[in-house]
Amino acid sequence: NAGVTQTPKFRILKIGQSMTLQCTQDMNHNYMYWYRQDPGMGLKLIYYSVGAGITDKGEVPNGYNVSRSTTEDFPLRLELAAPSQTSVYFCASSYDSYYNEQFFGPGTRLTVL
Amino acid sequence: AQTVTQSQPEMSVQEAETVTLSCTYDTSENNYYLFWYKQPPSRQMILVIRQEAYKQQNATENRFSVNFQKAAKSFSLKISDSQLGDTAMYFCAFMTQQGAQKLVFGQGTRLTINP
């Protein structure tokens, strides 16, 4: 199993550009999450999904959109990139029961200039 | 809303020493879950240890153990016989038992193990 994979690993965007961060998991997990990690800080939840076709906002959803058309994929869309979105983005997945470990991808480092 | 606070931004110890990382949290719930995650320079988030709030017994995983004080809302991580590979950022995280499984993270503690 590859686990949780994310692409790209690094990206530089200009202000106002858009992009999609890709996330795929091969563990048949129903729950998937997107977090951002600002320098020197902990992770904050952007959006999450409890299954295909079901998504909901987390703590910091403004400026982002998500979709979940399959169990495996959970892309994160940035519209009109802003410098405040410079961060490291992590995707994670877990089984649909409490106490279960969230498995994290390797992260995408995004810089908006 | 739940909050998680790690009051030690950085810590440094010598190899083979024991080190304790502090974590406090705020919640009005009675049942919840607590986690410690490790983030080495590779940036990969790795689960170190977890604790269910209804369990009085402190969790242990090899050299890693926790001191869970529910009344004080404290969840510290003890690393025994520290190794160079323990050098990393350590994050304390809280998960409510209600709704979706969302993690709330603390700010992190940067731990350096010196040879």
Side-chain angles (χ1 to χ4, degrees), chain B residues 1-12:
Chain B
Q2 291 83 10
T3 58
V4 178
T5 302
Q6 294 178 248
S7 58
Q8 304 152 312
E10 295 188 27
M11 296 188 72
S12 178

Side-chain angles (χ1 to χ4, degrees), chain A residues 31 33 35 37 40-43 45 48 88 90 94-102 104-107 109, chain B residues 33 35 37 39 42-45 47 50-52 91 95-103 105-108:
Chain A
Y31 283 62
Y33 315 82
Y35 295 91
Q37 183 181 25
M41 302 295 290
L43 282 67
L45 183 66
Y48 66 97
V88 179
F90 289 95
S94 67
Y95 290 109
D96 52 349
S97 62
Y98 292 100
Y99 196 55
N100 271 309
E101 175 182 359
Q102 289 190 12
F104 285 81
R109 181 178 295 278
Chain B
Y33 308 94
F35 302 82
Y37 277 86
Q39 187 180 43
S42 67
R43 218 168 58 193
Q44 182 71 47
M45 294 289 287
L47 178 65
R50 53 189 165 188
Q51 174 85 37
E52 294 165 280
F91 293 97
M95 180 188 288
T96 178
Q97 201 178 46
Q98 300 175 10
Q101 305 166 28
K102 297 178 283 185
L103 284 169
F105 286 87
Q107 309 93 313

Side-chain angles (χ1 to χ4, degrees), chain A residues 5 9 13 24 29 33 35 49 73 76 81 88 94 105 110 113:
Chain A
T5 57
K9 286 186 169 51
L13 282 182
T24 300
H29 288 166
Y33 315 82
Y35 295 91
S49 170
D73 301 308
L76 177 72
V88 179
S94 67
L110 175 67
L113 300 174

Side-chain angles (χ1 to χ4, degrees), chain B residues 32-102:
Chain B
Y32 47 87
Y33 308 94
L34 296 163
F35 302 82
W36 278 98
Y37 277 86
K38 170 185 178 181
Q39 187 180 43
S42 67
R43 218 168 58 193
Q44 182 71 47
M45 294 289 287
I46 302 165
L47 178 65
V48 175
I49 199 166
R50 53 189 165 188
Q51 174 85 37
E52 294 165 280
Y54 69 85
K55 287 188 176 179
Q56 292 186 333
Q57 187 174 4
N58 288 324
T60 62
E61 289 285 345
N62 300 315
R63 297 184 295 108
F64 299 86
S65 61
V66 299
N67 183 4
F68 174 48
Q69 301 290 328
K70 191 172 183 179
K73 297 180 181 176
S74 171
F75 183 61
S76 61
L77 174 69
K78 185 173 82 170
I79 305 174
S80 302
D81 186 26
S82 58
Q83 301 173 359
L84 296 179
D86 295 333
T87 293
M89 284 288 291
Y90 286 81
F91 293 97
C92 179
F94 174 99
M95 180 188 288
T96 178
Q97 201 178 46
Q98 300 175 10
Q101 305 166 28
K102 297 178 283 185

